[in-house]
């Protein structure tokens, strides 16, 4: 099915895509879901699980997306270069480069295979989701998706739902953490598991944190400091347990900035980020933070620099190291 030459599926009529430009956001983003989206998320995850079962893909890693696509009725998955010329003029002006598309009537998905393999897999899972979620087809006949639609922080509700299902199809819900929890609570664990699930390291770290049963948080910060020795905090996210104990992690970063350095006046998160940026492979420090209930909790802060940004992970400090140890490369 993948990479097939175009067949006679194109019937000449092009459906209109009802799209609206996404809102622009800056700095650190902490998204609190509306109750309606929370309910839809649970429903979407349930739909994804049933698809995995029907495709005999449950527990198979990386998820065989071609089998899932067949189950939802996608007859072909073609490269984005095969997108019909009649569709291209319909592309709204606010769209950037289209990386994925779905034509319902023709039962064809288009993927930009010029992306990295893991990014192309997420795009394909996203288009499968548009096909699988019943109310998406009811409101659209055509989806054209750019990078902003696939952004996990998108404010477009249908795109957010497609991203939720895509993540469930790739990580398979609790099955990911069934495997992750056999290793130590560390950035090394999602880094190890990413190739096994056919997902990017960035997406795997996010999923690891956002769905972890323990009190875990992650800041993704920039690599270039300004004259005041601060770096931008691009994103701050946390597990449900952490949010219940401390509130949104974004509150730890006034002005969406993090002061970095090696001095005693720099907070531990800034110190480990600084050490990672200066070549230390896996810096760790202990920190203490007062929770909402007034109790002081001990945490470990660790950082990893991937040559584009710094991941700063906060995990509970325990005297007992659980799970198999993993060493971070680099």
């Amino acid at each position: 099915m993948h990479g097939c030459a175009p067949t006679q599926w194109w019937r000449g009529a092009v459906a209109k895509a009802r799209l609206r430009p996404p809102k622009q956001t800056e700095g650190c983003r902490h998204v609190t879901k509306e109750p309606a989206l929370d309910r839809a998320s649970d429903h979407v995850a349930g739909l994804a699980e049933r698809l995995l079962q029907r495709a005999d893909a449950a527990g198979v890693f990386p998820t065989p997306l071609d089998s899932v696509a067949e189950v939802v009725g996608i007859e072909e998955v073609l490269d984005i270069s095969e997108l019909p010329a009649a569709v291209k003029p319909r592309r709204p002006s606010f769209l950037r480069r289209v990386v994925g598309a779905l034509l319902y009537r023709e039962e064809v998905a288009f993927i930009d295979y010029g992306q990295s393999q893991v990014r192309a897999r997420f795009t394909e899972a996203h288009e499968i989701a548009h096909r699988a979620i019943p109310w998406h087809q009811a409101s659209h006949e055509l989806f054209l998706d750019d990078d902003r639609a696939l952004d996990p922080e998108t404010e477009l509700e249908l795109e957010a739902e497609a991203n939720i299902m895509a993540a469930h199809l790739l990580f398979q819900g609790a099955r990911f953490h069934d495997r992750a929890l056999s290793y130590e609570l560390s950035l090394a664990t999602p880094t190890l598991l990413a190739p096994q699930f056919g997902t990017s390291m960035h997406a795997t770290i996010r999923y690891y944190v956002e769905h972890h049963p323990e009190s875990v948080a992650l800041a993704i910060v920039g690599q270039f400091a300004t004259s005041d020795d601060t770096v931008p905090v691009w994103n701050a996210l946390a597990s449900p347990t952490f949010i219940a104990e401390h509130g949104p992690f974004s509150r730890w970063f006034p002005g969406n900035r993090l002061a970095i350095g090696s001095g005693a006046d720099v907070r531990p998160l800034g110190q480990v980020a600084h050490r990672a940026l200066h070549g230390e492979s896996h810096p760790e420090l202990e920190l203490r933070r007062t929770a909402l209930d007034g109790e002081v909790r001990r945490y470990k802060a660790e950082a990893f620099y991937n040559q584009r940004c710094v991941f700063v992970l906060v995990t509970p400090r325990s005297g007992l190291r659980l799970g198999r140890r993993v060493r971070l490369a680099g």
Side-chain angles (χ1 to χ4, degrees):
M1 182 171 67
H2 289 69
C4 299
T7 58
Q8 299 302 315
W9 54 266
W10 181 246
R11 303 186 180 118
V14 180
K16 291 184 179 180
R18 295 199 296 273
L19 300 172
R20 57 189 172 89
K23 297 178 182 178
Q24 298 298 312
T25 56
E26 297 181 356
C28 177
R29 296 177 292 182
H30 177 87
V31 176
T32 302
K33 296 178 185 176
E34 297 295 331
L37 184 55
D38 265 335
R39 291 192 295 272
S41 299
D42 293 340
H43 186 40
V44 164
L47 288 174
E49 180 59 29
R50 289 192 287 276
L51 284 181
L52 292 170
Q53 297 290 344
R54 288 172 56 198
D56 293 325
V60 180
F61 306 110
T63 301
L65 292 177
D66 53 347
S67 298
V68 182
E70 289 176 5
V71 166
V72 300
I74 294 177
E75 295 296 328
E76 289 186 296
V77 180
L78 304 175
D79 187 81
I80 199 71
S81 63
E82 304 291 348
L83 189 67
V87 173
K88 295 175 183 177
R90 305 275 185 170
R91 186 178 74 177
S93 60
F94 63 79
L95 278 184
R96 298 175 181 173
R97 180 171 64 103
V98 175
V99 295
L102 176 69
L103 276 63
Y104 281 103
R105 184 185 304 171
E106 289 73 22
E107 300 177 341
V108 178
F110 298 86
I111 309 299
D112 182 358
Y113 287 113
Q115 306 174 96
S116 67
Q117 183 179 14
V118 292
R119 186 64 174 172
R121 276 179 55 79
F122 185 85
T123 305
E124 182 174 354
H126 182 97
E127 302 310 327
I128 289 172
H130 279 317
R131 174 72 181 181
I133 300 172
W135 56 93
H136 286 207
Q137 185 171 0
S139 59
H140 287 64
E141 295 179 348
L142 164 68
F143 275 94
L144 297 173
D145 293 319
D146 63 4
D147 285 328
R148 289 174 295 187
L150 276 65
D151 187 328
E153 308 295 349
T154 181
E155 295 182 4
L156 296 175
E157 187 171 320
L158 297 187
E159 301 301 348
E161 291 170 353
N163 286 337
I164 290 166
M165 177 174 277
H168 191 97
L169 291 174
L170 294 171
F171 293 106
Q172 300 200 15
R175 295 182 187 88
F176 173 83
H177 277 93
D178 285 345
R179 187 168 297 190
L181 292 175
S182 66
Y183 295 93
E184 64 177 322
L185 182 48
S186 165
L187 279 171
T189 294
T191 302
L192 171 76
L193 294 179
Q196 299 178 31
F197 285 80
T199 49
S200 71
M201 184 181 69
H202 192 131
T204 308
I205 292 173
R206 281 188 62 108
Y207 196 85
Y208 179 71
V209 170
E210 290 184 302
H211 299 274
H212 205 285
E214 296 192 46
S215 185
V216 180
L218 175 74
I220 303 171
V221 308
Q223 59 181 318
F224 299 115
T226 51
S227 58
D228 60 353
D229 292 326
T230 67
V231 292
V233 179
W234 298 126
N235 215 318
L237 49 100
S239 67
T241 301
F242 185 97
I243 294 171
E245 293 177 350
H246 294 278
F249 190 41
S250 56
R251 294 177 183 170
W252 290 33
F253 306 101
N256 304 327
R257 308 290 298 184
L258 174 65
I260 63 171
S262 57
D265 58 330
V266 177
R267 293 162 51 198
L269 298 184
Q271 290 186 38
V272 293
H274 175 81
R275 287 161 57 184
L277 282 167
H278 285 77
E280 190 170 340
S281 64
H282 191 200
E284 297 181 4
L285 279 176
E286 183 175 311
L287 63 92
R288 296 172 185 267
R289 188 81 177 193
T290 303
L292 296 176
D293 62 6
E295 180 181 341
V296 177
R297 288 178 167 81
R298 297 171 61 219
Y299 287 94
K300 178 185 74 173
E302 61 174 303
F304 174 65
Y305 176 43
N306 70 350
Q307 306 305 311
R308 293 182 296 277
C309 60
V310 181
F311 298 92
V312 181
L313 183 71
V314 175
T315 59
R317 169 62 79 182
S318 172
L320 178 64
R321 182 180 290 271
L322 301 176
R324 290 175 283 171
R325 293 204 65 179
V326 183
R327 181 178 295 277
L328 269 173

